[in-house]
Amino acid sequence: MKDGAKILVRTCANVQATEKVVVVTDSERIEIAQAVSGEAEQIGAQVKIVISPERSIDNEEPGTAVKEALFDADVAFLPVTLAMAHTRAVREAITKGARVLSMTAFTKRMMREGGLFTDFRARQPFCQSLAARLSEGSRLRVTNPSGTDLTMSLVGVTGNSHACLLDGPGFSAVPNIEANCAPTQGTAEGVFVCDGSIPYYGVGPIRHPITFRISEGFVTEIEGGEQARFLASLLAEQEDLWVYNLAQFAFGLNPACTEFTGEMLNDEGVNGTVHIGVGTSANLGGEVSAKTHFDAITQAPTVEIDGGVVLSEGKFLTDA
């Protein structure tokens, strides 16, 4: 896994000698954490591996020891089984100047092949241009052949370019490459049909399309097969209205991510797809902190911003 660790440490996180690096992990990802740690140590960084206490759901706040380690870090890598990216602890670490690289549910395969081995620097300008379109637009509509027809306001929105490169304080997941935003709160209306993947909570690639009915920025119904019923039950158990918040819209932009594998940061990056995030929006420019956050990906989408087509049935009209 050394080649993958070298990309993560030297290219994505731009780790420098003498920097304080923390690698937050758990027992399932310890070998990946050790590979990343070893590469950072070779550069001369001060490296600490912190084992996260067991958590029950993606994006649940971590324990005190993890929070303190994040607050003290110049660079943080998060090869964890349950997502930690959309937590208050990560948000506050970034505010203190940290560069945070999310590696949720990373696998050994992902360290050896696939999306991690794309040219992030070459893809960055296109990712930035789509983020700018989200910032400059006022209204977005997404449709797809499975029945998606969802609109949302972009007024006051700031688009985020997450191109897997951290040149300064901030956050990116890897290797998905995405341009995203938190839509104007309370404005999303319509239907989103997930026919790709929900790489959270063990759901994975979709066997029967899951329909999300959305009104005033909240998911009001989740319909479909067994996976839909599982997801609806899981969210209801949280007893938190905000877990239904329409938190995110994102384009998947990694040309080396070509199929849904169930690996979170592969599936979210499949080129030419889009996904919505539901739950916490605060780490994306929104204001909502919920008990959890998950993403739902759809295939062959058409996206219009202010009436101009950006993506047509999964094909970008302009590209880098």
Side-chain angles (χ1 to χ4, degrees):
M1 295 187 289
K2 185 173 177 58
D3 287 345
K6 185 177 292 186
I7 293 169
L8 290 162
V9 170
R10 297 175 185 263
T11 300
C12 297
N14 192 28
V15 173
Q16 303 296 308
T18 75
E19 285 193 309
K20 295 179 181 179
V21 174
V22 63
V23 184
V24 180
T25 192
D26 50 53
S27 59
E28 291 187 49
R29 315 287 162 180
I30 190 66
E31 290 183 60
I32 293 171
Q34 290 169 337
V36 171
S37 173
E39 187 64 30
E41 287 174 347
Q42 284 193 10
I43 292 174
Q46 304 172 47
V47 185
K48 178 191 297 184
I49 294 179
V50 179
I51 306 298
S52 174
E54 185 174 345
R55 294 174 299 134
S56 61
I57 193 168
D58 285 290
N59 294 300
E60 180 181 354
E61 290 294 326
T64 301
V66 172
K67 291 179 183 178
E68 291 177 350
L70 289 172
F71 294 169
D72 191 46
D74 297 306
V75 183
F77 295 89
L78 307 179
V80 289
T81 301
L82 294 178
M84 196 177 291
H86 296 279
T87 61
R88 185 176 296 104
V90 166
R91 186 162 66 253
E92 292 177 357
I94 293 168
T95 299
K96 289 175 67 67
R99 307 194 301 280
V100 180
L101 200 65
S102 176
M103 299 168 57
T104 303
F106 235 72
T107 65
K108 294 178 182 178
R109 183 201 73 81
M110 293 171 68
M111 292 287 287
R112 297 191 299 265
E113 63 187 32
L116 187 57
F117 295 85
T118 199
D119 188 339
F120 296 116
R121 194 64 65 181
R123 198 64 170 158
Q124 187 179 41
F126 184 52
C127 189
Q128 291 172 331
S129 71
L130 285 177
R133 291 289 298 270
L134 293 171
S135 295
E136 296 161 2
S138 60
R139 191 163 186 79
L140 181 147
R141 181 186 182 196
V142 55
T143 59
N144 88 324
S146 293
T148 295
D149 193 347
L150 180 66
T151 61
M152 62 195 71
S153 172
L154 300 176
V155 175
V157 162
T158 299
N160 305 300
S161 172
H162 290 169
C164 308
L165 297 168
L166 293 171
D167 297 320
F171 162 85
S172 184
V174 64
N176 51 331
I177 309 182
E178 64 178 65
N180 64 49
C181 70
T184 309
Q185 186 65 41
T187 64
E189 295 282 346
V191 176
F192 186 87
V193 180
C194 174
D195 58 6
S197 178
I198 297 179
Y200 287 74
Y201 318 133
V203 177
I206 298 303
R207 296 187 293 273
H208 187 281
I210 298 177
T211 298
F212 295 87
R213 300 195 183 278
I214 298 162
S215 178
E216 297 183 347
F218 283 85
V219 173
T220 57
E221 294 182 59
I222 301 173
E223 303 167 349
E226 179 183 352
Q227 291 169 306
R229 291 190 291 273
F230 166 79
L231 182 62
S233 177
L234 179 69
L235 294 180
E237 290 170 4
Q238 305 313 307
E239 298 182 340
D240 177 7
L241 171 66
W242 294 104
V243 301
Y244 299 100
N245 175 56
L246 198 291
Q248 177 186 18
F249 176 85
F251 296 97
L253 299 171
N254 191 327
C257 296
T258 58
E259 60 185 24
F260 298 113
T261 63
E263 296 159 319
M264 180 186 299
L265 298 175
N266 171 84
D267 291 8
E268 293 176 0
V270 171
N271 196 47
T273 63
V274 301
H275 58 269
I276 57 169
V278 180
T280 295
S281 66
N283 289 20
L284 299 162
E287 299 179 351
V288 173
S289 293
K291 286 188 177 179
T292 188
H293 174 107
F294 71 92
D295 294 338
I297 306 155
T298 200
Q299 303 183 74
T302 294
V303 177
E304 302 170 46
I305 297 178
D306 296 338
V309 177
V310 176
L311 180 64
S312 178
E313 297 186 351
K315 304 294 183 183
F316 289 103
L317 300 191
T318 58
D319 209 330

mmCIF file with all atom_site columns, all heavy atoms in Angstrom, residues 256-282:
data_model
loop_
_atom_site.group_PDB
_atom_site.id
_atom_site.type_symbol
_atom_site.label_atom_id
_atom_site.label_alt_id
_atom_site.label_comp_id
_atom_site.label_asym_id
_atom_site.label_entity_id
_atom_site.label_seq_id
_atom_site.pdbx_PDB_ins_code
_atom_site.Cartn_x
_atom_site.Cartn_y
_atom_site.Cartn_z
_atom_site.occupancy
_atom_site.B_iso_or_equiv
_atom_site.pdbx_formal_charge
_atom_site.auth_seq_id
_atom_site.auth_comp_id
_atom_site.auth_asym_id
_atom_site.auth_atom_id
_atom_site.pdbx_PDB_model_num
ATOM 1   N N   . ALA A 1 256 ? -11.443 8.050  -12.790 1.00 0.00 ? 256 ALA A N   1
ATOM 2   C CA  . ALA A 1 256 ? -10.957 6.708  -12.486 1.00 0.00 ? 256 ALA A CA  1
ATOM 3   C C   . ALA A 1 256 ? -11.923 5.927  -11.597 1.00 0.00 ? 256 ALA A C   1
ATOM 4   O O   . ALA A 1 256 ? -11.687 4.761  -11.300 1.00 0.00 ? 256 ALA A O   1
ATOM 5   C CB  . ALA A 1 256 ? -9.577  6.789  -11.827 1.00 0.00 ? 256 ALA A CB  1
ATOM 6   N N   . CYS A 1 257 ? -13.004 6.574  -11.168 1.00 0.00 ? 257 CYS A N   1
ATOM 7   C CA  . CYS A 1 257 ? -14.072 5.878  -10.432 1.00 0.00 ? 257 CYS A CA  1
ATOM 8   C C   . CYS A 1 257 ? -15.171 5.583  -11.451 1.00 0.00 ? 257 CYS A C   1
ATOM 9   O O   . CYS A 1 257 ? -15.869 6.498  -11.900 1.00 0.00 ? 257 CYS A O   1
ATOM 10  C CB  . CYS A 1 257 ? -14.606 6.737  -9.293  1.00 0.00 ? 257 CYS A CB  1
ATOM 11  S SG  . CYS A 1 257 ? -13.399 7.098  -7.992  1.00 0.00 ? 257 CYS A SG  1
ATOM 12  N N   . THR A 1 258 ? -15.310 4.332  -11.828 1.00 0.00 ? 258 THR A N   1
ATOM 13  C CA  . THR A 1 258 ? -16.144 3.996  -12.980 1.00 0.00 ? 258 THR A CA  1
ATOM 14  C C   . THR A 1 258 ? -17.352 3.127  -12.660 1.00 0.00 ? 258 THR A C   1
ATOM 15  O O   . THR A 1 258 ? -18.239 2.975  -13.497 1.00 0.00 ? 258 THR A O   1
ATOM 16  C CB  . THR A 1 258 ? -15.301 3.279  -14.046 1.00 0.00 ? 258 THR A CB  1
ATOM 17  O OG1 . THR A 1 258 ? -14.715 2.106  -13.464 1.00 0.00 ? 258 THR A OG1 1
ATOM 18  C CG2 . THR A 1 258 ? -14.191 4.192  -14.566 1.00 0.00 ? 258 THR A CG2 1
ATOM 19  N N   . GLU A 1 259 ? -17.395 2.524  -11.471 1.00 0.00 ? 259 GLU A N   1
ATOM 20  C CA  . GLU A 1 259 ? -18.541 1.673  -11.126 1.00 0.00 ? 259 GLU A CA  1
ATOM 21  C C   . GLU A 1 259 ? -18.772 1.723  -9.626  1.00 0.00 ? 259 GLU A C   1
ATOM 22  O O   . GLU A 1 259 ? -17.893 2.103  -8.848  1.00 0.00 ? 259 GLU A O   1
ATOM 23  C CB  . GLU A 1 259 ? -18.303 0.231  -11.579 1.00 0.00 ? 259 GLU A CB  1
ATOM 24  C CG  . GLU A 1 259 ? -17.079 -0.429 -10.962 1.00 0.00 ? 259 GLU A CG  1
ATOM 25  C CD  . GLU A 1 259 ? -16.819 -1.815 -11.525 1.00 0.00 ? 259 GLU A CD  1
ATOM 26  O OE1 . GLU A 1 259 ? -17.248 -2.107 -12.660 1.00 0.00 ? 259 GLU A OE1 1
ATOM 27  O OE2 . GLU A 1 259 ? -16.180 -2.605 -10.819 1.00 0.00 ? 259 GLU A OE2 1
ATOM 28  N N   . PHE A 1 260 ? -19.981 1.338  -9.222  1.00 0.00 ? 260 PHE A N   1
ATOM 29  C CA  . PHE A 1 260 ? -20.337 1.347  -7.808  1.00 0.00 ? 260 PHE A CA  1
ATOM 30  C C   . PHE A 1 260 ? -19.848 0.064  -7.148  1.00 0.00 ? 260 PHE A C   1
ATOM 31  O O   . PHE A 1 260 ? -20.209 -1.037 -7.554  1.00 0.00 ? 260 PHE A O   1
ATOM 32  C CB  . PHE A 1 260 ? -21.845 1.495  -7.641  1.00 0.00 ? 260 PHE A CB  1
ATOM 33  C CG  . PHE A 1 260 ? -22.381 2.772  -8.203  1.00 0.00 ? 260 PHE A CG  1
ATOM 34  C CD1 . PHE A 1 260 ? -23.222 2.768  -9.305  1.00 0.00 ? 260 PHE A CD1 1
ATOM 35  C CD2 . PHE A 1 260 ? -22.019 3.990  -7.658  1.00 0.00 ? 260 PHE A CD2 1
ATOM 36  C CE1 . PHE A 1 260 ? -23.719 3.940  -9.832  1.00 0.00 ? 260 PHE A CE1 1
ATOM 37  C CE2 . PHE A 1 260 ? -22.497 5.178  -8.181  1.00 0.00 ? 260 PHE A CE2 1
ATOM 38  C CZ  . PHE A 1 260 ? -23.347 5.155  -9.270  1.00 0.00 ? 260 PHE A CZ  1
ATOM 39  N N   . THR A 1 261 ? -19.017 0.236  -6.128  1.00 0.00 ? 261 THR A N   1
ATOM 40  C CA  . THR A 1 261 ? -18.431 -0.906 -5.429  1.00 0.00 ? 261 THR A CA  1
ATOM 41  C C   . THR A 1 261 ? -18.944 -1.041 -4.002  1.00 0.00 ? 261 THR A C   1
ATOM 42  O O   . THR A 1 261 ? -18.661 -2.039 -3.340  1.00 0.00 ? 261 THR A O   1
ATOM 43  C CB  . THR A 1 261 ? -16.904 -0.749 -5.371  1.00 0.00 ? 261 THR A CB  1
ATOM 44  O OG1 . THR A 1 261 ? -16.588 0.426  -4.597  1.00 0.00 ? 261 THR A OG1 1
ATOM 45  C CG2 . THR A 1 261 ? -16.312 -0.617 -6.767  1.00 0.00 ? 261 THR A CG2 1
ATOM 46  N N   . GLY A 1 262 ? -19.660 -0.009 -3.517  1.00 0.00 ? 262 GLY A N   1
ATOM 47  C CA  . GLY A 1 262 ? -20.055 0.024  -2.111  1.00 0.00 ? 262 GLY A CA  1
ATOM 48  C C   . GLY A 1 262 ? -19.035 0.726  -1.246  1.00 0.00 ? 262 GLY A C   1
ATOM 49  O O   . GLY A 1 262 ? -19.293 0.977  -0.063  1.00 0.00 ? 262 GLY A O   1
ATOM 50  N N   . GLU A 1 263 ? -17.862 1.060  -1.819  1.00 0.00 ? 263 GLU A N   1
ATOM 51  C CA  . GLU A 1 263 ? -16.849 1.813  -1.092  1.00 0.00 ? 263 GLU A CA  1
ATOM 52  C C   . GLU A 1 263 ? -17.249 3.296  -1.180  1.00 0.00 ? 263 GLU A C   1
ATOM 53  O O   . GLU A 1 263 ? -17.342 3.856  -2.265  1.00 0.00 ? 263 GLU A O   1
ATOM 54  C CB  . GLU A 1 263 ? -15.475 1.586  -1.710  1.00 0.00 ? 263 GLU A CB  1
ATOM 55  C CG  . GLU A 1 263 ? -15.018 0.128  -1.589  1.00 0.00 ? 263 GLU A CG  1
ATOM 56  C CD  . GLU A 1 263 ? -13.945 -0.225 -2.607  1.00 0.00 ? 263 GLU A CD  1
ATOM 57  O OE1 . GLU A 1 263 ? -14.055 0.198  -3.776  1.00 0.00 ? 263 GLU A OE1 1
ATOM 58  O OE2 . GLU A 1 263 ? -13.000 -0.945 -2.240  1.00 0.00 ? 263 GLU A OE2 1
ATOM 59  N N   . MET A 1 264 ? -17.477 3.906  -0.044  1.00 0.00 ? 264 MET A N   1
ATOM 60  C CA  . MET A 1 264 ? -18.095 5.232  0.004   1.00 0.00 ? 264 MET A CA  1
ATOM 61  C C   . MET A 1 264 ? -17.434 6.245  -0.916  1.00 0.00 ? 264 MET A C   1
ATOM 62  O O   . MET A 1 264 ? -18.082 6.875  -1.757  1.00 0.00 ? 264 MET A O   1
ATOM 63  C CB  . MET A 1 264 ? -18.073 5.763  1.437   1.00 0.00 ? 264 MET A CB  1
ATOM 64  C CG  . MET A 1 264 ? -18.684 7.141  1.598   1.00 0.00 ? 264 MET A CG  1
ATOM 65  S SD  . MET A 1 264 ? -18.487 7.781  3.275   1.00 0.00 ? 264 MET A SD  1
ATOM 66  C CE  . MET A 1 264 ? -19.384 6.562  4.213   1.00 0.00 ? 264 MET A CE  1
ATOM 67  N N   . LEU A 1 265 ? -16.121 6.420  -0.762  1.00 0.00 ? 265 LEU A N   1
ATOM 68  C CA  . LEU A 1 265 ? -15.455 7.506  -1.469  1.00 0.00 ? 265 LEU A CA  1
ATOM 69  C C   . LEU A 1 265 ? -15.073 7.134  -2.896  1.00 0.00 ? 265 LEU A C   1
ATOM 70  O O   . LEU A 1 265 ? -14.587 7.984  -3.640  1.00 0.00 ? 265 LEU A O   1
ATOM 71  C CB  . LEU A 1 265 ? -14.252 7.979  -0.654  1.00 0.00 ? 265 LEU A CB  1
ATOM 72  C CG  . LEU A 1 265 ? -14.665 8.540  0.716   1.00 0.00 ? 265 LEU A CG  1
ATOM 73  C CD1 . LEU A 1 265 ? -13.448 8.897  1.559   1.00 0.00 ? 265 LEU A CD1 1
ATOM 74  C CD2 . LEU A 1 265 ? -15.580 9.746  0.568   1.00 0.00 ? 265 LEU A CD2 1
ATOM 75  N N   . ASN A 1 266 ? -15.336 5.901  -3.274  1.00 0.00 ? 266 ASN A N   1
ATOM 76  C CA  . ASN A 1 266 ? -15.334 5.539  -4.692  1.00 0.00 ? 266 ASN A CA  1
ATOM 77  C C   . ASN A 1 266 ? -16.674 5.903  -5.305  1.00 0.00 ? 266 ASN A C   1
ATOM 78  O O   . ASN A 1 266 ? -16.755 6.599  -6.313  1.00 0.00 ? 266 ASN A O   1
ATOM 79  C CB  . ASN A 1 266 ? -15.066 4.053  -4.871  1.00 0.00 ? 266 ASN A CB  1
ATOM 80  C CG  . ASN A 1 266 ? -15.281 3.599  -6.304  1.00 0.00 ? 266 ASN A CG  1
ATOM 81  O OD1 . ASN A 1 266 ? -14.406 3.712  -7.155  1.00 0.00 ? 266 ASN A OD1 1
ATOM 82  N ND2 . ASN A 1 266 ? -16.480 3.091  -6.606  1.00 0.00 ? 266 ASN A ND2 1
ATOM 83  N N   . ASP A 1 267 ? -17.743 5.442  -4.681  1.00 0.00 ? 267 ASP A N   1
ATOM 84  C CA  . ASP A 1 267 ? -19.079 5.609  -5.261  1.00 0.00 ? 267 ASP A CA  1
ATOM 85  C C   . ASP A 1 267 ? -19.457 7.074  -5.408  1.00 0.00 ? 267 ASP A C   1
ATOM 86  O O   . ASP A 1 267 ? -20.052 7.475  -6.420  1.00 0.00 ? 267 ASP A O   1
ATOM 87  C CB  . ASP A 1 267 ? -20.114 4.888  -4.393  1.00 0.00 ? 267 ASP A CB  1
ATOM 88  C CG  . ASP A 1 267 ? -19.963 3.369  -4.457  1.00 0.00 ? 267 ASP A CG  1
ATOM 89  O OD1 . ASP A 1 267 ? -18.975 2.891  -5.053  1.00 0.00 ? 267 ASP A OD1 1
ATOM 90  O OD2 . ASP A 1 267 ? -20.835 2.663  -3.916  1.00 0.00 ? 267 ASP A OD2 1
ATOM 91  N N   . GLU A 1 268 ? -19.122 7.907  -4.423  1.00 0.00 ? 268 GLU A N   1
ATOM 92  C CA  . GLU A 1 268 ? -19.467 9.331  -4.493  1.00 0.00 ? 268 GLU A CA  1
ATOM 93  C C   . GLU A 1 268 ? -18.704 10.053 -5.599  1.00 0.00 ? 268 GLU A C   1
ATOM 94  O O   . GLU A 1 268 ? -19.114 11.124 -6.043  1.00 0.00 ? 268 GLU A O   1
ATOM 95  C CB  . GLU A 1 268 ? -19.200 9.999  -3.148  1.00 0.00 ? 268 GLU A CB  1
ATOM 96  C CG  . GLU A 1 268 ? -20.129 9.511  -2.050  1.00 0.00 ? 268 GLU A CG  1
ATOM 97  C CD  . GLU A 1 268 ? -19.804 10.107 -0.703  1.00 0.00 ? 268 GLU A CD  1
ATOM 98  O OE1 . GLU A 1 268 ? -18.852 10.914 -0.607  1.00 0.00 ? 268 GLU A OE1 1
ATOM 99  O OE2 . GLU A 1 268 ? -20.487 9.765  0.279   1.00 0.00 ? 268 GLU A OE2 1
ATOM 100 N N   . GLY A 1 269 ? -17.593 9.460  -6.032  1.00 0.00 ? 269 GLY A N   1
ATOM 101 C CA  . GLY A 1 269 ? -16.788 10.100 -7.060  1.00 0.00 ? 269 GLY A CA  1
ATOM 102 C C   . GLY A 1 269 ? -17.022 9.604  -8.464  1.00 0.00 ? 269 GLY A C   1
ATOM 103 O O   . GLY A 1 269 ? -16.384 10.104 -9.407  1.00 0.00 ? 269 GLY A O   1
ATOM 104 N N   . VAL A 1 270 ? -17.918 8.616  -8.658  1.00 0.00 ? 270 VAL A N   1
ATOM 105 C CA  . VAL A 1 270 ? -18.124 8.070  -10.004 1.00 0.00 ? 270 VAL A CA  1
ATOM 106 C C   . VAL A 1 270 ? -18.446 9.211  -10.962 1.00 0.00 ? 270 VAL A C   1
ATOM 107 O O   . VAL A 1 270 ? -19.400 9.964  -10.765 1.00 0.00 ? 270 VAL A O   1
ATOM 108 C CB  . VAL A 1 270 ? -19.230 6.998  -10.008 1.00 0.00 ? 270 VAL A CB  1
ATOM 109 C CG1 . VAL A 1 270 ? -19.581 6.606  -11.433 1.00 0.00 ? 270 VAL A CG1 1
ATOM 110 C CG2 . VAL A 1 270 ? -18.779 5.766  -9.233  1.00 0.00 ? 270 VAL A CG2 1
ATOM 111 N N   . ASN A 1 271 ? -17.640 9.338  -11.978 1.00 0.00 ? 271 ASN A N   1
ATOM 112 C CA  . ASN A 1 271 ? -17.709 10.497 -12.861 1.00 0.00 ? 271 ASN A CA  1
ATOM 113 C C   . ASN A 1 271 ? -19.051 10.583 -13.581 1.00 0.00 ? 271 ASN A C   1
ATOM 114 O O   . ASN A 1 271 ? -19.545 9.595  -14.137 1.00 0.00 ? 271 ASN A O   1
ATOM 115 C CB  . ASN A 1 271 ? -16.584 10.421 -13.897 1.00 0.00 ? 271 ASN A CB  1
ATOM 116 C CG  . ASN A 1 271 ? -16.349 11.732 -14.590 1.00 0.00 ? 271 ASN A CG  1
ATOM 117 O OD1 . ASN A 1 271 ? -16.257 12.771 -13.951 1.00 0.00 ? 271 ASN A OD1 1
ATOM 118 N ND2 . ASN A 1 271 ? -16.262 11.711 -15.903 1.00 0.00 ? 271 ASN A ND2 1
ATOM 119 N N   . GLY A 1 272 ? -19.650 11.782 -13.556 1.00 0.00 ? 272 GLY A N   1
ATOM 120 C CA  . GLY A 1 272 ? -20.915 11.995 -14.249 1.00 0.00 ? 272 GLY A CA  1
ATOM 121 C C   . GLY A 1 272 ? -22.145 11.667 -13.433 1.00 0.00 ? 272 GLY A C   1
ATOM 122 O O   . GLY A 1 272 ? -23.264 11.757 -13.945 1.00 0.00 ? 272 GLY A O   1
ATOM 123 N N   . THR A 1 273 ? -21.965 11.298 -12.175 1.00 0.00 ? 273 THR A N   1
ATOM 124 C CA  . THR A 1 273 ? -23.111 11.095 -11.281 1.00 0.00 ? 273 THR A CA  1
ATOM 125 C C   . THR A 1 273 ? -23.319 12.355 -10.446 1.00 0.00 ? 273 THR A C   1
ATOM 126 O O   . THR A 1 273 ? -22.473 13.257 -10.423 1.00 0.00 ? 273 THR A O   1
ATOM 127 C CB  . THR A 1 273 ? -22.882 9.910  -10.322 1.00 0.00 ? 273 THR A CB  1
ATOM 128 O OG1 . THR A 1 273 ? -21.768 10.194 -9.461  1.00 0.00 ? 273 THR A OG1 1
ATOM 129 C CG2 . THR A 1 273 ? -22.626 8.637  -11.093 1.00 0.00 ? 273 THR A CG2 1
ATOM 130 N N   . VAL A 1 274 ? -24.449 12.420 -9.748  1.00 0.00 ? 274 VAL A N   1
ATOM 131 C CA  . VAL A 1 274 ? -24.635 13.441 -8.722  1.00 0.00 ? 274 VAL A CA  1
ATOM 132 C C   . VAL A 1 274 ? -25.169 12.754 -7.473  1.00 0.00 ? 274 VAL A C   1
ATOM 133 O O   . VAL A 1 274 ? -25.714 11.653 -7.535  1.00 0.00 ? 274 VAL A O   1
ATOM 134 C CB  . VAL A 1 274 ? -25.608 14.571 -9.147  1.00 0.00 ? 274 VAL A CB  1
ATOM 135 C CG1 . VAL A 1 274 ? -25.106 15.270 -10.398 1.00 0.00 ? 274 VAL A CG1 1
ATOM 136 C CG2 . VAL A 1 274 ? -27.021 14.054 -9.326  1.00 0.00 ? 274 VAL A CG2 1
ATOM 137 N N   . HIS A 1 275 ? -24.980 13.410 -6.347  1.00 0.00 ? 275 HIS A N   1
ATOM 138 C CA  . HIS A 1 275 ? -25.585 12.878 -5.125  1.00 0.00 ? 275 HIS A CA  1
ATOM 139 C C   . HIS A 1 275 ? -26.120 14.002 -4.262  1.00 0.00 ? 275 HIS A C   1
ATOM 140 O O   . HIS A 1 275 ? -25.682 15.149 -4.354  1.00 0.00 ? 275 HIS A O   1
ATOM 141 C CB  . HIS A 1 275 ? -24.617 11.990 -4.333  1.00 0.00 ? 275 HIS A CB  1
ATOM 142 C CG  . HIS A 1 275 ? -23.330 12.614 -3.904  1.00 0.00 ? 275 HIS A CG  1
ATOM 143 N ND1 . HIS A 1 275 ? -22.187 12.577 -4.665  1.00 0.00 ? 275 HIS A ND1 1
ATOM 144 C CD2 . HIS A 1 275 ? -22.983 13.271 -2.764  1.00 0.00 ? 275 HIS A CD2 1
ATOM 145 C CE1 . HIS A 1 275 ? -21.198 13.166 -4.024  1.00 0.00 ? 275 HIS A CE1 1
ATOM 146 N NE2 . HIS A 1 275 ? -21.650 13.612 -2.871  1.00 0.00 ? 275 HIS A NE2 1
ATOM 147 N N   . ILE A 1 276 ? -27.105 13.644 -3.465  1.00 0.00 ? 276 ILE A N   1
ATOM 148 C CA  . ILE A 1 276 ? -27.593 14.531 -2.421  1.00 0.00 ? 276 ILE A CA  1
ATOM 149 C C   . ILE A 1 276 ? -27.059 14.021 -1.094  1.00 0.00 ? 276 ILE A C   1
ATOM 150 O O   . ILE A 1 276 ? -26.827 12.819 -0.910  1.00 0.00 ? 276 ILE A O   1
ATOM 151 C CB  . ILE A 1 276 ? -29.127 14.631 -2.375  1.00 0.00 ? 276 ILE A CB  1
ATOM 152 C CG1 . ILE A 1 276 ? -29.767 13.252 -2.186  1.00 0.00 ? 276 ILE A CG1 1
ATOM 153 C CG2 . ILE A 1 276 ? -29.659 15.317 -3.625  1.00 0.00 ? 276 ILE A CG2 1
ATOM 154 C CD1 . ILE A 1 276 ? -31.259 13.289 -1.871  1.00 0.00 ? 276 ILE A CD1 1
ATOM 155 N N   . GLY A 1 277 ? -26.838 14.952 -0.170  1.00 0.00 ? 277 GLY A N   1
ATOM 156 C CA  . GLY A 1 277 ? -26.512 14.599 1.197   1.00 0.00 ? 277 GLY A CA  1
ATOM 157 C C   . GLY A 1 277 ? -27.690 14.955 2.081   1.00 0.00 ? 277 GLY A C   1
ATOM 158 O O   . GLY A 1 277 ? -28.352 15.980 1.868   1.00 0.00 ? 277 GLY A O   1
ATOM 159 N N   . VAL A 1 278 ? -27.960 14.130 3.065   1.00 0.00 ? 278 VAL A N   1
ATOM 160 C CA  . VAL A 1 278 ? -29.099 14.336 3.958   1.00 0.00 ? 278 VAL A CA  1
ATOM 161 C C   . VAL A 1 278 ? -28.601 14.333 5.400   1.00 0.00 ? 278 VAL A C   1
ATOM 162 O O   . VAL A 1 278 ? -27.863 13.430 5.805   1.00 0.00 ? 278 VAL A O   1
ATOM 163 C CB  . VAL A 1 278 ? -30.164 13.238 3.751   1.00 0.00 ? 278 VAL A CB  1
ATOM 164 C CG1 . VAL A 1 278 ? -31.363 13.457 4.680   1.00 0.00 ? 278 VAL A CG1 1
ATOM 165 C CG2 . VAL A 1 278 ? -30.614 13.200 2.292   1.00 0.00 ? 278 VAL A CG2 1
ATOM 166 N N   . GLY A 1 279 ? -28.986 15.358 6.164   1.00 0.00 ? 279 GLY A N   1
ATOM 167 C CA  . GLY A 1 279 ? -28.568 15.472 7.561   1.00 0.00 ? 279 GLY A CA  1
ATOM 168 C C   . GLY A 1 279 ? -27.759 16.732 7.784   1.00 0.00 ? 279 GLY A C   1
ATOM 169 O O   . GLY A 1 279 ? -28.176 17.830 7.419   1.00 0.00 ? 279 GLY A O   1
ATOM 170 N N   . THR A 1 280 ? -26.564 16.586 8.341   1.00 0.00 ? 280 THR A N   1
ATOM 171 C CA  . THR A 1 280 ? -25.704 17.718 8.666   1.00 0.00 ? 280 THR A CA  1
ATOM 172 C C   . THR A 1 280 ? -25.242 18.450 7.412   1.00 0.00 ? 280 THR A C   1
ATOM 173 O O   . THR A 1 280 ? -24.780 17.826 6.452   1.00 0.00 ? 280 THR A O   1
ATOM 174 C CB  . THR A 1 280 ? -24.481 17.239 9.466   1.00 0.00 ? 280 THR A CB  1
ATOM 175 O OG1 . THR A 1 280 ? -24.918 16.729 10.726  1.00 0.00 ? 280 THR A OG1 1
ATOM 176 C CG2 . THR A 1 280 ? -23.502 18.379 9.717   1.00 0.00 ? 280 THR A CG2 1
ATOM 177 N N   . SER A 1 281 ? -25.337 19.786 7.447   1.00 0.00 ? 281 SER A N   1
ATOM 178 C CA  . SER A 1 281 ? -24.850 20.606 6.344   1.00 0.00 ? 281 SER A CA  1
ATOM 179 C C   . SER A 1 281 ? -23.744 21.557 6.772   1.00 0.00 ? 281 SER A C   1
ATOM 180 O O   . SER A 1 281 ? -23.143 22.232 5.936   1.00 0.00 ? 281 SER A O   1
ATOM 181 C CB  . SER A 1 281 ? -25.997 21.421 5.737   1.00 0.00 ? 281 SER A CB  1
ATOM 182 O OG  . SER A 1 281 ? -26.490 22.370 6.681   1.00 0.00 ? 281 SER A OG  1
ATOM 183 N N   . ALA A 1 282 ? -23.455 21.624 8.060   1.00 0.00 ? 282 ALA A N   1
ATOM 184 C CA  . ALA A 1 282 ? -22.571 22.661 8.593   1.00 0.00 ? 282 ALA A CA  1
ATOM 185 C C   . ALA A 1 282 ? -21.167 22.607 8.015   1.00 0.00 ? 282 ALA A C   1
ATOM 186 O O   . ALA A 1 282 ? -20.521 23.642 7.849   1.00 0.00 ? 282 ALA A O   1
ATOM 187 C CB  . ALA A 1 282 ? -22.512 22.574 10.116  1.00 0.00 ? 282 ALA A CB  1
#
